[in-house]
Structures are given as C-alpha cells and as structure tokens.
Amino acid sequence: LGRGALADSNAHLAIEHFEAADHPPDSLNEARHLLANSSNIEFWLGEGWSAAGDAERAKLHWEKAERQRADFQQMQVRALSEMTYWSGMALRRLHRDEEAASLFTHMLTYADALEKEVPKIDYFATSLPAMLLFEENLQKRQRITATFLRALALFGLGRQSEAHTALDEVRRLDRSHPGSSDLLAHNAAGRA
C-alpha cells in the first residue's frame, strides 16, 4: 500500500502505511521480535520522507536501515537475510556506494555458502510440530533461500540479467515465494 501511494505521488499516505507496518495493531496480539530486522520498513520510510521533500528525515530512516544487519528468522539470529538487501539499498541512498557493493558482495558469498550447507531440522518446540505434520524438503527450502539471497545481491550489484535468472529459478522452485513478486515489482519500477 505504501509503495502504491508513492507511485501515485502521495508521500504522506505512503508514510502512514510504512509507519503502520512498523506497529502491528493490538488486535493481532502479535509484536515483532526484538531481534527482527526492520530495514525494509526503515528504507521505505526514507523513500517516503524523501518524496515528501524532507531530506533530513529521509536520511535518518536510511541510516537506521543501514545499521541493521542480523535478523531473527526460524528461531535463530542469522548474520544475513533478505533484509540485508534493504540495508544495502539504504547505503546507496546515503551515497555510500562502496559500502553497499561490499555488503552485496558479502551477501552473494553467503548465498553461495548457504546453498552448499547441509540443512538441519530445527528442533525448537514451536517448529517441531510443523516438521512432523508436513513433509518438507529441507534441501529444496535452503536452495530457494540461497537463490533468493543471490538474486537480491545481484540486483544490489546492478547485475540485472543474472539477478533475473536467479529470480526465475526461485519462482520455478516456489511459485508462491513471498519475496520474489515484491522484488520484481520493486525493480520493474526502477527503484533499485
């Protein structure tokens, strides 16, 4: 909704949507984990404030986005995740292109290493029932994650053709992958 409002040149409505994403309603009875990375929200708040003509507030949000690195996913803190892309994009907005390129290169190396790792079943209490109820191909899931991270890193490095190839692979392996459609829309809009 926020990105749609930005596309319609309604920066203040976009900001409202991005701020709402940062504060889930009490009715959901759910709060974001304290270790969860929100660099995507901070990046988009920066975009909103930039579009509204407030460069200083935009810079503050991009700085918040670029400082976030680790992410809490699948009951563990991960050094890199798809949120790392937004930290890199914030670095670009802050004209720190060398740091952004270094981060995206690190992300690419991480994706390559992740794809070669042997996945393990997470026996944390809340995830074990899902593992027992649903047969899941852990190797395939890890390959999808690694390939998506590779696509993000390649987009960040400006290697569009390779990024699209990696994204096509993600969509071939998982047609309902939540991040792939978002990434395509983001890059099609020329915002990357």
Side-chain angles (χ1 to χ4, degrees):
L1 294 172
R3 291 189 315 202
L6 272 181
D8 291 338
S9 300
N10 192 339
H12 291 287
L13 179 60
I15 291 165
E16 285 179 33
H17 288 304
F18 299 139
E19 286 177 343
D22 204 23
H23 304 287
D26 291 337
S27 62
L28 288 180
N29 207 21
E30 185 75 29
R32 187 170 1 145
H33 193 281
L34 292 174
L35 299 175
N37 186 315
S38 63
S39 58
N40 59 339
I41 295 171
E42 295 298 342
F43 172 82
W44 286 106
L45 279 166
E47 295 290 281
W49 285 111
S50 178
D54 191 333
E56 196 56 40
R57 283 178 100 167
K59 181 181 176 192
L60 288 174
H61 285 286
W62 289 328
E63 287 172 341
K64 283 183 187 178
E66 70 86 9
R67 283 192 301 267
Q68 297 183 46
R69 289 293 191 272
D71 197 5
F72 189 76
Q73 292 188 346
Q74 299 175 1
M75 302 312 297
Q76 61 182 319
V77 176
R78 295 182 180 263
L80 295 169
S81 74
E82 62 271 8
M83 292 299 129
T84 306
Y85 173 77
W86 300 107
S87 295
M89 293 305 296
L91 284 166
R92 291 241 191 260
R93 294 297 192 260
L94 294 166
H95 307 291
R96 293 164 55 190
D97 292 334
E98 286 182 24
E99 290 176 73
S102 177
L103 183 60
F104 290 131
T105 300
H106 180 59
M107 195 174 175
L108 193 56
T109 303
Y110 177 83
D112 291 340
L114 181 65
E115 191 165 24
K116 293 173 186 163
E117 276 182 23
V118 176
K120 299 174 193 151
I121 295 176
D122 174 17
Y123 285 102
F124 190 78
T126 58
S127 61
L128 184 57
M131 298 303 297
L132 296 174
L133 289 174
F134 305 105
E135 192 172 318
E136 185 171 12
N137 182 330
L138 295 178
Q139 189 69 44
K140 180 180 177 184
R141 179 175 63 164
Q142 186 155 310
R143 182 175 174 204
I144 291 167
T145 300
T147 306
F148 185 61
L149 289 173
R150 183 176 301 107
L152 288 165
L154 291 166
F155 273 121
L157 290 167
R159 294 163 55 182
Q160 304 297 317
S161 178
E162 292 172 86
H164 280 286
T165 300
L167 206 51
D168 288 344
E169 178 69 6
V170 170
R171 294 170 66 90
R172 186 186 67 73
L173 293 167
D174 181 0
R175 289 201 171 286
S176 62
H177 187 271
S180 62
S181 296
D182 243 12
L183 185 60
L184 280 173
H186 173 69
N187 283 285
R191 300 190 72 82

